[in-house]
Amino acid sequence: MEQHVHASGHEHVTAEHTSTFELTSDDWLTPAGDCILGIEADTVPAEFDDEFVSACQSHDATITVTLRADGHEHVIEGRGHPDLTFENMRGMVGRTSDYVDDRTVAVDCDAAAADLDRDLVEALAEGADLECILSVDA
């Protein structure tokens, strides 16, 4: 089961955050947003398919996040959690910790923004389109 999100890179994408990565539907980004990989996301967690959300609400669920931009790709593996709500209307966050709030789409991820392929990050900083595919194996 998959959810597809498309977003845009931005000149302030630095991907320096060591414990999270984020996509936002906001149309702006400040230099302080060092976890944000893309803006103007066309889908937010509150719009995700109910069946997808249910599948993610298990400790046994494996959630794979594939990020693609300008010919570059990075795959992040995380897991689900019973407290995931997918209720946020603005952004989605993957976390290396097990912290959950309404923006969280995966916990215990094996990578954060700072771990991403630097060629991918450079493409995003130059404004490349970002394709994010979330898949769940429950």
Side-chain angles (χ1 to χ4, degrees), residues 2-44:
E2 293 183 348
Q3 288 290 157
H4 291 253
V5 179
H6 295 91
S8 299
H10 187 277
E11 65 182 311
H12 293 311
V13 171
T14 60
E16 294 176 344
H17 204 277
T18 59
S19 63
T20 65
F21 62 90
E22 179 175 359
L23 276 67
T24 181
S25 62
D26 291 344
D27 62 359
W28 50 272
L29 174 60
T30 69
D34 63 352
C35 68
I36 296 175
L37 307 177
I39 63 170
E40 298 182 291
D42 66 354
T43 309
V44 294

Side-chain angles (χ1 to χ4, degrees), residues 41-119:
D42 66 354
T43 309
V44 294
E47 299 169 328
F48 286 5
D49 182 78
D50 290 341
E51 194 175 332
F52 179 86
V53 171
S54 293
C56 292
Q57 293 173 324
S58 166
H59 284 294
D60 297 328
T62 299
I63 300 171
T64 304
V65 181
T66 304
L67 302 165
R68 294 182 184 140
D70 199 29
H72 305 286
E73 179 177 287
H74 197 106
V75 178
I76 300 171
E77 294 286 330
R79 68 175 181 85
H81 192 284
D83 294 336
L84 292 176
T85 65
F86 292 85
E87 292 177 345
N88 196 276
M89 296 293 293
R90 288 181 54 210
M92 54 185 243
V93 177
R95 302 179 186 281
T96 59
S97 70
D98 63 359
Y99 177 79
V100 174
D101 67 12
D102 71 336
R103 298 178 308 149
T104 308
V105 296
V107 296
D108 291 336
C109 291
D110 63 3
D115 302 310
L116 295 182
D117 174 273
R118 292 291 104 182
D119 290 332

